[in-house]
Amino acid sequence: MGKKLLMLVGDYAEDYETMVPFQTLLAVGHVVHAVCPGKKAGDTIATAIHDFEGAQTYSEKRGHNFTLNFDFDRVSSQDYDGLVIPGGRAPEYLRLNEQVLDIVRQFDAARKPIAAVCHGAQLLAAAGILAGRSCSAYPACAPEVRLAGGTYADIPIDQAHTDGHLVTAPAWPAHPAWLAQFLAVLGTRISH
């Protein structure tokens, strides 16, 4: 039986880190509610495409419009089995929203699976749930992980890290590992 998952997004969330997990989790039979503060089902967010093209940091280009399928104001963490936090620029300002931080804290307190990729660690740090834990993220977020009392898991960009119910990864090249580890923590079984 599929799980019911919440995905927290906002304008300029990373395109692949939003679209790929959303579609993958649906494809394996889960229900995914994609929400954004101040927006309702049917509204869209603008995504950003981050790429690794040899510069000192990632490049950024305008991505797609991603359509939300649930109202943020209707979210109750008790209704969900897990949480997905894409990266990009959205976590930078979503962490200023106390309701978003409370949602992250509620999932953590209930020990429900949480998957965060790239800059998604900014929400985990701001919510204060990283103390004593190890967490991967985009390398530029390593100081935030450490300042929040966590241990930064410095892993290759295409790998993922699991610490209990927390599954994290550096960026979208890690999708195969990150999503596989998140599905394992959810208890999802795929047979061939």
Side-chain angles (χ1 to χ4, degrees), residues 124-145:
L124 305 178
I129 69 163
L130 292 180
R133 292 181 148 144
S134 57
C135 172
S136 182
Y138 189 69
C141 297
E144 290 171 271
V145 170

Side-chain angles (χ1 to χ4, degrees), residues 2-56:
K3 304 283 185 175
K4 189 173 178 184
L5 307 172
L6 181 67
M7 178 181 275
L8 291 171
V9 297
D11 283 320
Y12 297 101
E14 207 288 325
D15 190 89
Y16 288 174
E17 294 170 2
T18 302
M19 302 276 196
V20 173
F22 182 79
Q23 293 172 340
T24 299
L25 293 166
L26 290 175
V28 299
H30 296 308
V31 172
V32 183
H33 286 169
V35 300
C36 175
K39 297 193 179 204
K40 299 190 176 306
D43 291 344
T44 62
I45 60 159
T47 67
I49 296 171
H50 291 164
D51 209 349
F52 309 101
E53 301 175 303
Q56 291 178 320

Side-chain angles (χ1 to χ4, degrees), residues 50-89:
H50 291 164
D51 209 349
F52 309 101
E53 301 175 303
Q56 291 178 320
T57 190
Y58 57 85
S59 63
E60 183 174 79
K61 300 164 189 73
R62 176 68 163 87
H64 297 91
N65 289 329
F66 176 77
T67 303
L68 305 170
N69 65 354
F70 199 74
D71 299 351
F72 180 80
D73 291 340
R74 294 178 51 206
V75 168
S76 173
S77 64
Q78 294 92 352
D79 295 340
Y80 296 95
D81 301 302
L83 176 64
V84 181
I85 305 172
R89 285 195 289 132

